Amino acid sequence: MIRPVRGHSCNGAGTTLGSLDVTFQDDLDLMEDHMPWIYLLAAGALEIVWALAMKQSAGFTRTTPTIIMVLAMFGSFGLLAMAMASLPLGTAYTIWTGIGAVGAFALGVLVLGEALTAQRLLAAGLIVAGIVLMQLSERGGA
């Protein structure tokens, strides 16, 4: 996003448009701050993929789901490692496993026809609440 800033001199990271200076440095800094979280979300998504592929592999007897599982695992672990370079271990690992657990639960219900009971829904909700609280604690909001 380009944000015009009045009275801010251009430091080479932006351009001047009439009486407005446009700076990109704030946007780059914001993106850099969010990259570990983006890596973590992508790692969690790949964890869901590998869990579903593992189920579809029928005990590693089906080649294509097994290959998808292995590739998704490597991608998930790689992205998790990148996120952990900046995020605390407890925060990153808790959120990663929570995304995988709730996502696998949701796909189990939606794709595989697994039972959706009040107890399972409550359990998934508690995991989501834990993820939110963990993320808020990283920001200093809790």
Side-chain angles (χ1 to χ4, degrees):
M1 169 194 302
I2 299 173
R3 282 179 267 170
V5 180
R6 291 193 185 275
H8 184 271
S9 64
C10 183
N11 62 3
T15 186
T16 302
L17 298 173
S19 64
L20 297 177
D21 288 335
V22 180
T23 178
F24 300 102
Q25 189 60 47
D26 290 340
D27 293 326
L28 292 174
D29 291 342
L30 183 63
M31 183 73 148
E32 186 175 305
D33 291 344
H34 286 83
M35 286 311 295
W37 293 103
I38 294 168
Y39 296 147
L40 188 58
L41 290 174
L46 286 175
E47 186 183 7
I48 298 165
V49 170
W50 70 251
L52 180 63
M54 182 183 287
K55 176 71 172 172
Q56 297 297 321
S57 76
F60 309 121
T61 61
R62 297 179 58 216
T63 305
T64 301
T66 300
I67 291 170
I68 291 170
M69 181 203 70
V70 169
L71 293 175
M73 278 182 159
F74 277 113
S76 182
F77 289 135
L79 288 166
L80 177 61
M82 291 170 66
M84 282 185 173
S86 300
L87 299 175
L89 167 69
T91 301
Y93 191 73
T94 300
I95 292 173
W96 177 70
T97 57
I99 292 169
V102 172
F105 162 72
L107 280 183
V109 170
L110 297 171
V111 175
L112 303 177
E114 295 176 357
L116 177 61
T117 65
Q119 291 164 327
R120 293 183 82 205
L121 196 56
L122 177 61
L126 289 171
I127 293 169
V128 170
I131 292 170
V132 169
L133 186 56
M134 188 63 73
Q135 203 276 340
L136 288 174
S137 72
E138 171 62 23
R139 289 185 178 176

